[in-house]
Amino acid sequence: MLIVGAKGFAIEILEILYLNKYNKSIAFYDDINSDINGKLFGKYQILKNEEDVKVFFQKNGPLYTIGIGLPGLRLKIYKKFQNLGGKFTSTISKNSEIGHHDTKIDIGCNILSGVKISNSVSIGKGCLIYYNSIITHNCEIGNFIDISPSVNLLGRVQISDYAHIGSNVTILPDIKIGKNSIIGAGAVVTKDVPDNVMVAGIPSKIIKSLK
């Protein structure tokens, strides 16, 4: 498994693989940070260029996941590594709880410990769901969405592609969150949020328009 990134969220993914007793080769990819070289934690190779990636895929198989947040950046990385022959793969902690009835999780999702996902939930491609978040029945989560720690999504919430949900946010039932929008930490969302805005507060209000 190749983890794209070698800091921050990437080491959270490493912990998922450790807890899940993943016993195949693991490496990291970081072509940005010059202070990270050699082996992470003295054990895991850090790849620095695309040729190294191709060699790793040929030797160990094409599985990769994205250990970096920010929806737009995750989408960009996904496109790059698909072109390198990678196979986008989910990492789901064994310490999460996933509904067994009509719940669908697309490829490339990272779901950390303590997450609870109910029945009749749909989660799109490349989503990141952080510790202790709760997604209740009939929620629809789009593609490349970041859900921070301890978020509560109540029944029938819909979140459009590339949105970011800050930590400790509560979104009330039947609310729709627009594409590319950001929900600030601690917000309580009581009405629909349009595309390309930032909202914050209790109850949440639009505080900024986004490109």
Side-chain angles (χ1 to χ4, degrees):
M1 172 85 72
L2 179 63
I3 302 173
V4 182
K7 290 185 174 182
F9 186 64
I11 61 175
E12 308 279 17
I13 292 178
L14 178 62
E15 186 65 12
I16 293 175
L17 297 178
Y18 176 81
L19 290 172
N20 290 357
K21 301 186 185 303
Y22 185 87
N23 57 10
K24 298 180 181 180
S25 294
I26 298 172
F28 292 82
Y29 177 83
D30 187 325
D31 63 349
I32 301 296
N33 296 294
S34 59
D35 60 323
I36 298 180
N37 292 287
K39 293 187 176 181
L40 189 63
F41 303 123
K43 183 177 181 180
Y44 304 103
Q45 184 181 6
I46 300 173
L47 311 183
K48 284 294 186 179
N49 56 63
E50 294 182 8
E51 289 305 314
D52 288 344
V53 171
K54 292 177 182 178
V55 170
F56 182 86
F57 284 165
Q58 289 172 357
K59 183 177 179 181
N60 301 286
L63 302 185
Y64 78 96
T65 194
I66 300 176
I68 297 173
L70 302 177
L73 182 55
R74 287 172 68 85
L75 174 61
K76 182 178 179 180
I77 291 169
Y78 163 72
K79 291 178 178 178
K80 175 178 178 177
F81 279 81
Q82 290 297 111
N83 288 334
L84 290 173
K87 182 178 180 181
F88 202 23
T89 305
S90 292
T91 54
I92 300 175
S93 173
K94 72 171 188 176
N95 295 327
S96 61
E97 297 180 24
I98 312 293
H100 294 89
H101 302 282
D102 191 36
T103 290
K104 304 176 182 67
I105 299 173
D106 208 336
I107 60 172
C109 291
N110 309 121
I111 299 176
L112 277 64
S113 296
V115 170
K116 296 184 178 181
I117 299 172
S118 187
N119 292 321
S120 296
V121 170
S122 174
I123 297 175
K125 182 186 301 178
C127 291
L128 183 166
I129 306 176
Y130 241 111
Y131 299 110
N132 301 320
S133 288
I134 298 173
I135 300 174
T136 65
H137 63 90
N138 299 103
C139 288
E140 298 179 13
I141 313 299
N143 298 310
F144 295 98
I145 288 169
D146 287 1
I147 296 177
S148 300
S150 300
V151 167
N152 292 298
L153 305 183
L154 305 184
R156 301 172 300 280
V157 166
Q158 297 180 35
I159 303 179
S160 300
D161 296 348
Y162 320 124
H164 173 83
I165 314 299
S167 61
N168 292 294
V169 164
T170 296
I171 303 178
L172 298 187
D174 301 304
I175 297 298
K176 297 180 180 180
I177 306 299
K179 190 174 181 179
N180 302 312
S181 288
I182 297 173
I183 312 300
V188 176
V189 184
T190 61
K191 59 183 180 181
D192 291 353
V193 174
D195 296 347
N196 304 307
V197 297
M198 178 184 292
V199 305
I202 305 174
S204 64
K205 297 180 180 178
I206 296 173
I207 61 172
K208 184 178 181 180
S209 295
L210 304 172
K211 293 182 179 180

PDB file of all heavy atoms in Angstrom, residues 20 28 45 47 86 90 94 113 115 117 126 156 158-160 164 171 187 202 206:
ATOM      1  N   ASN A  20      -5.531  -2.695  11.816  1.00  0.00           N
ATOM      2  CA  ASN A  20      -6.187  -3.707  10.984  1.00  0.00           C
ATOM      3  C   ASN A  20      -5.277  -4.882  10.645  1.00  0.00           C
ATOM      4  O   ASN A  20      -5.662  -5.763   9.876  1.00  0.00           O
ATOM      5  CB  ASN A  20      -6.704  -3.070   9.698  1.00  0.00           C
ATOM      6  CG  ASN A  20      -7.882  -2.143   9.932  1.00  0.00           C
ATOM      7  OD1 ASN A  20      -8.373  -1.991  11.048  1.00  0.00           O
ATOM      8  ND2 ASN A  20      -8.356  -1.510   8.869  1.00  0.00           N
ATOM      9  N   PHE A  28       5.450   5.493   1.784  1.00  0.00           N
ATOM     10  CA  PHE A  28       4.869   6.828   1.722  1.00  0.00           C
ATOM     11  C   PHE A  28       5.421   7.572   0.510  1.00  0.00           C
ATOM     12  O   PHE A  28       6.514   7.268   0.020  1.00  0.00           O
ATOM     13  CB  PHE A  28       5.194   7.621   2.988  1.00  0.00           C
ATOM     14  CG  PHE A  28       4.525   7.096   4.222  1.00  0.00           C
ATOM     15  CD1 PHE A  28       5.059   6.015   4.920  1.00  0.00           C
ATOM     16  CD2 PHE A  28       3.364   7.673   4.708  1.00  0.00           C
ATOM     17  CE1 PHE A  28       4.442   5.524   6.057  1.00  0.00           C
ATOM     18  CE2 PHE A  28       2.736   7.194   5.851  1.00  0.00           C
ATOM     19  CZ  PHE A  28       3.282   6.110   6.520  1.00  0.00           C
ATOM     20  N   GLN A  45       9.653   3.174   3.720  1.00  0.00           N
ATOM     21  CA  GLN A  45      10.323   3.929   2.665  1.00  0.00           C
ATOM     22  C   GLN A  45       9.499   5.140   2.251  1.00  0.00           C
ATOM     23  O   GLN A  45       8.274   5.078   2.157  1.00  0.00           O
ATOM     24  CB  GLN A  45      10.543   3.022   1.452  1.00  0.00           C
ATOM     25  CG  GLN A  45      11.318   3.680   0.317  1.00  0.00           C
ATOM     26  CD  GLN A  45      11.481   2.744  -0.875  1.00  0.00           C
ATOM     27  OE1 GLN A  45      10.926   1.646  -0.888  1.00  0.00           O
ATOM     28  NE2 GLN A  45      12.235   3.179  -1.860  1.00  0.00           N
ATOM     29  N   LEU A  47       8.991   7.579  -0.842  1.00  0.00           N
ATOM     30  CA  LEU A  47       9.254   7.755  -2.266  1.00  0.00           C
ATOM     31  C   LEU A  47       9.219   9.235  -2.611  1.00  0.00           C
ATOM     32  O   LEU A  47       8.417   9.992  -2.074  1.00  0.00           O
ATOM     33  CB  LEU A  47       8.215   6.989  -3.087  1.00  0.00           C
ATOM     34  CG  LEU A  47       7.977   5.525  -2.684  1.00  0.00           C
ATOM     35  CD1 LEU A  47       6.972   4.890  -3.640  1.00  0.00           C
ATOM     36  CD2 LEU A  47       9.270   4.745  -2.650  1.00  0.00           C
ATOM     37  N   GLY A  86      -2.167   3.561 -10.453  1.00  0.00           N
ATOM     38  CA  GLY A  86      -2.587   3.192  -9.114  1.00  0.00           C
ATOM     39  C   GLY A  86      -4.037   2.743  -9.043  1.00  0.00           C
ATOM     40  O   GLY A  86      -4.849   3.038  -9.927  1.00  0.00           O
ATOM     41  N   SER A  90      -9.693   2.199  -0.168  1.00  0.00           N
ATOM     42  CA  SER A  90     -10.165   2.702   1.120  1.00  0.00           C
ATOM     43  C   SER A  90      -9.351   2.113   2.273  1.00  0.00           C
ATOM     44  O   SER A  90      -8.870   0.980   2.210  1.00  0.00           O
ATOM     45  CB  SER A  90     -11.638   2.345   1.320  1.00  0.00           C
ATOM     46  OG  SER A  90     -12.469   3.045   0.422  1.00  0.00           O
ATOM     47  N   LYS A  94     -10.895  -0.845  11.886  1.00  0.00           N
ATOM     48  CA  LYS A  94     -11.731  -1.897  12.455  1.00  0.00           C
ATOM     49  C   LYS A  94     -12.472  -1.404  13.696  1.00  0.00           C
ATOM     50  O   LYS A  94     -13.421  -2.049  14.156  1.00  0.00           O
ATOM     51  CB  LYS A  94     -10.883  -3.116  12.803  1.00  0.00           C
ATOM     52  CG  LYS A  94      -9.966  -2.936  14.010  1.00  0.00           C
ATOM     53  CD  LYS A  94      -9.333  -4.254  14.415  1.00  0.00           C
ATOM     54  CE  LYS A  94      -8.567  -4.126  15.726  1.00  0.00           C
ATOM     55  NZ  LYS A  94      -8.019  -5.416  16.181  1.00  0.00           N
ATOM     56  N   SER A 113     -10.954   5.590  13.591  1.00  0.00           N
ATOM     57  CA  SER A 113     -11.551   4.933  14.746  1.00  0.00           C
ATOM     58  C   SER A 113     -12.624   5.805  15.390  1.00  0.00           C
ATOM     59  O   SER A 113     -12.520   7.038  15.421  1.00  0.00           O
ATOM     60  CB  SER A 113     -10.478   4.612  15.783  1.00  0.00           C
ATOM     61  OG  SER A 113      -9.550   3.677  15.281  1.00  0.00           O
ATOM     62  N   VAL A 115     -15.651   6.315  14.411  1.00  0.00           N
ATOM     63  CA  VAL A 115     -16.693   6.766  13.490  1.00  0.00           C
ATOM     64  C   VAL A 115     -17.872   5.795  13.541  1.00  0.00           C
ATOM     65  O   VAL A 115     -17.682   4.577  13.586  1.00  0.00           O
ATOM     66  CB  VAL A 115     -16.146   6.867  12.052  1.00  0.00           C
ATOM     67  CG1 VAL A 115     -17.270   7.086  11.048  1.00  0.00           C
ATOM     68  CG2 VAL A 115     -15.120   7.988  11.957  1.00  0.00           C
ATOM     69  N   ILE A 117     -21.412   4.989  11.403  1.00  0.00           N
ATOM     70  CA  ILE A 117     -22.193   5.234  10.190  1.00  0.00           C
ATOM     71  C   ILE A 117     -23.399   4.322  10.219  1.00  0.00           C
ATOM     72  O   ILE A 117     -23.258   3.099  10.342  1.00  0.00           O
ATOM     73  CB  ILE A 117     -21.340   4.985   8.932  1.00  0.00           C
ATOM     74  CG1 ILE A 117     -20.136   5.942   8.911  1.00  0.00           C
ATOM     75  CG2 ILE A 117     -22.178   5.158   7.674  1.00  0.00           C
ATOM     76  CD1 ILE A 117     -19.139   5.655   7.816  1.00  0.00           C
ATOM     77  N   GLY A 126     -13.317   8.954  -2.250  1.00  0.00           N
ATOM     78  CA  GLY A 126     -12.228   9.760  -1.717  1.00  0.00           C
ATOM     79  C   GLY A 126     -12.558  10.601  -0.507  1.00  0.00           C
ATOM     80  O   GLY A 126     -11.893  11.607  -0.253  1.00  0.00           O
ATOM     81  N   ARG A 156     -30.909  12.251   6.957  1.00  0.00           N
ATOM     82  CA  ARG A 156     -31.201  12.736   5.600  1.00  0.00           C
ATOM     83  C   ARG A 156     -30.396  13.976   5.202  1.00  0.00           C
ATOM     84  O   ARG A 156     -30.782  14.707   4.292  1.00  0.00           O
ATOM     85  CB  ARG A 156     -32.703  12.994   5.428  1.00  0.00           C
ATOM     86  CG  ARG A 156     -33.568  11.759   5.670  1.00  0.00           C
ATOM     87  CD  ARG A 156     -35.042  12.088   5.677  1.00  0.00           C
ATOM     88  NE  ARG A 156     -35.378  13.063   6.719  1.00  0.00           N
ATOM     89  CZ  ARG A 156     -35.539  12.754   8.004  1.00  0.00           C
ATOM     90  NH1 ARG A 156     -35.406  11.508   8.421  1.00  0.00           N
ATOM     91  NH2 ARG A 156     -35.827  13.692   8.883  1.00  0.00           N
ATOM     92  N   GLN A 158     -27.629  15.953   3.215  1.00  0.00           N
ATOM     93  CA  GLN A 158     -26.970  15.780   1.921  1.00  0.00           C
ATOM     94  C   GLN A 158     -25.796  16.756   1.829  1.00  0.00           C
ATOM     95  O   GLN A 158     -25.981  17.958   2.044  1.00  0.00           O
ATOM     96  CB  GLN A 158     -27.942  16.039   0.773  1.00  0.00           C
ATOM     97  CG  GLN A 158     -29.098  15.061   0.720  1.00  0.00           C
ATOM     98  CD  GLN A 158     -30.047  15.350  -0.428  1.00  0.00           C
ATOM     99  OE1 GLN A 158     -29.617  15.776  -1.497  1.00  0.00           O
ATOM    100  NE2 GLN A 158     -31.336  15.130  -0.225  1.00  0.00           N
ATOM    101  N   ILE A 159     -24.621  16.227   1.505  1.00  0.00           N
ATOM    102  CA  ILE A 159     -23.425  17.063   1.376  1.00  0.00           C
ATOM    103  C   ILE A 159     -22.864  16.883  -0.030  1.00  0.00           C
ATOM    104  O   ILE A 159     -22.549  15.770  -0.438  1.00  0.00           O
ATOM    105  CB  ILE A 159     -22.365  16.695   2.426  1.00  0.00           C
ATOM    106  CG1 ILE A 159     -22.958  16.811   3.837  1.00  0.00           C
ATOM    107  CG2 ILE A 159     -21.151  17.596   2.291  1.00  0.00           C
ATOM    108  CD1 ILE A 159     -21.997  16.442   4.939  1.00  0.00           C
ATOM    109  N   SER A 160     -22.737  17.986  -0.752  1.00  0.00           N
ATOM    110  CA  SER A 160     -22.274  17.935  -2.143  1.00  0.00           C
ATOM    111  C   SER A 160     -20.750  17.864  -2.217  1.00  0.00           C
ATOM    112  O   SER A 160     -20.040  18.123  -1.233  1.00  0.00           O
ATOM    113  CB  SER A 160     -22.791  19.159  -2.910  1.00  0.00           C
ATOM    114  OG  SER A 160     -24.207  19.182  -2.912  1.00  0.00           O
ATOM    115  N   HIS A 164     -16.086  20.834   2.984  1.00  0.00           N
ATOM    116  CA  HIS A 164     -15.285  20.563   4.184  1.00  0.00           C
ATOM    117  C   HIS A 164     -16.146  20.879   5.403  1.00  0.00           C
ATOM    118  O   HIS A 164     -16.680  21.989   5.526  1.00  0.00           O
ATOM    119  CB  HIS A 164     -14.023  21.419   4.211  1.00  0.00           C
ATOM    120  CG  HIS A 164     -13.263  21.298   5.505  1.00  0.00           C
ATOM    121  ND1 HIS A 164     -12.385  20.272   5.745  1.00  0.00           N
ATOM    122  CD2 HIS A 164     -13.282  22.056   6.623  1.00  0.00           C
ATOM    123  CE1 HIS A 164     -11.880  20.411   6.971  1.00  0.00           C
ATOM    124  NE2 HIS A 164     -12.417  21.483   7.517  1.00  0.00           N
ATOM    125  N   ILE A 171     -25.103  19.142  11.953  1.00  0.00           N
ATOM    126  CA  ILE A 171     -25.983  19.505  10.841  1.00  0.00           C
ATOM    127  C   ILE A 171     -27.327  18.825  11.080  1.00  0.00           C
ATOM    128  O   ILE A 171     -27.409  17.600  11.194  1.00  0.00           O
ATOM    129  CB  ILE A 171     -25.382  19.084   9.491  1.00  0.00           C
ATOM    130  CG1 ILE A 171     -23.992  19.727   9.313  1.00  0.00           C
ATOM    131  CG2 ILE A 171     -26.309  19.495   8.347  1.00  0.00           C
ATOM    132  CD1 ILE A 171     -23.289  19.346   8.022  1.00  0.00           C
ATOM    133  N   ALA A 187     -19.982  24.851  14.345  1.00  0.00           N
ATOM    134  CA  ALA A 187     -21.229  25.406  13.826  1.00  0.00           C
ATOM    135  C   ALA A 187     -22.393  24.439  14.041  1.00  0.00           C
ATOM    136  O   ALA A 187     -22.218  23.220  14.066  1.00  0.00           O
ATOM    137  CB  ALA A 187     -21.093  25.729  12.344  1.00  0.00           C
ATOM    138  N   ILE A 202     -23.615  29.637  15.624  1.00  0.00           N
ATOM    139  CA  ILE A 202     -24.768  28.911  16.159  1.00  0.00           C
ATOM    140  C   ILE A 202     -25.935  29.898  16.281  1.00  0.00           C
ATOM    141  O   ILE A 202     -25.913  30.765  17.145  1.00  0.00           O
ATOM    142  CB  ILE A 202     -24.470  28.305  17.538  1.00  0.00           C
ATOM    143  CG1 ILE A 202     -23.219  27.409  17.489  1.00  0.00           C
ATOM    144  CG2 ILE A 202     -25.662  27.542  18.071  1.00  0.00           C
ATOM    145  CD1 ILE A 202     -22.791  26.904  18.850  1.00  0.00           C
ATOM    146  N   ILE A 206     -23.726  32.639   6.699  1.00  0.00           N
ATOM    147  CA  ILE A 206     -22.689  32.810   5.676  1.00  0.00           C
ATOM    148  C   ILE A 206     -21.774  33.965   6.093  1.00  0.00           C
ATOM    149  O   ILE A 206     -22.247  35.077   6.378  1.00  0.00           O
ATOM    150  CB  ILE A 206     -23.307  33.080   4.296  1.00  0.00           C
ATOM    151  CG1 ILE A 206     -24.120  31.869   3.832  1.00  0.00           C
ATOM    152  CG2 ILE A 206     -22.215  33.425   3.271  1.00  0.00           C
ATOM    153  CD1 ILE A 206     -24.910  32.107   2.546  1.00  0.00           C
TER     154      ILE A 206
END
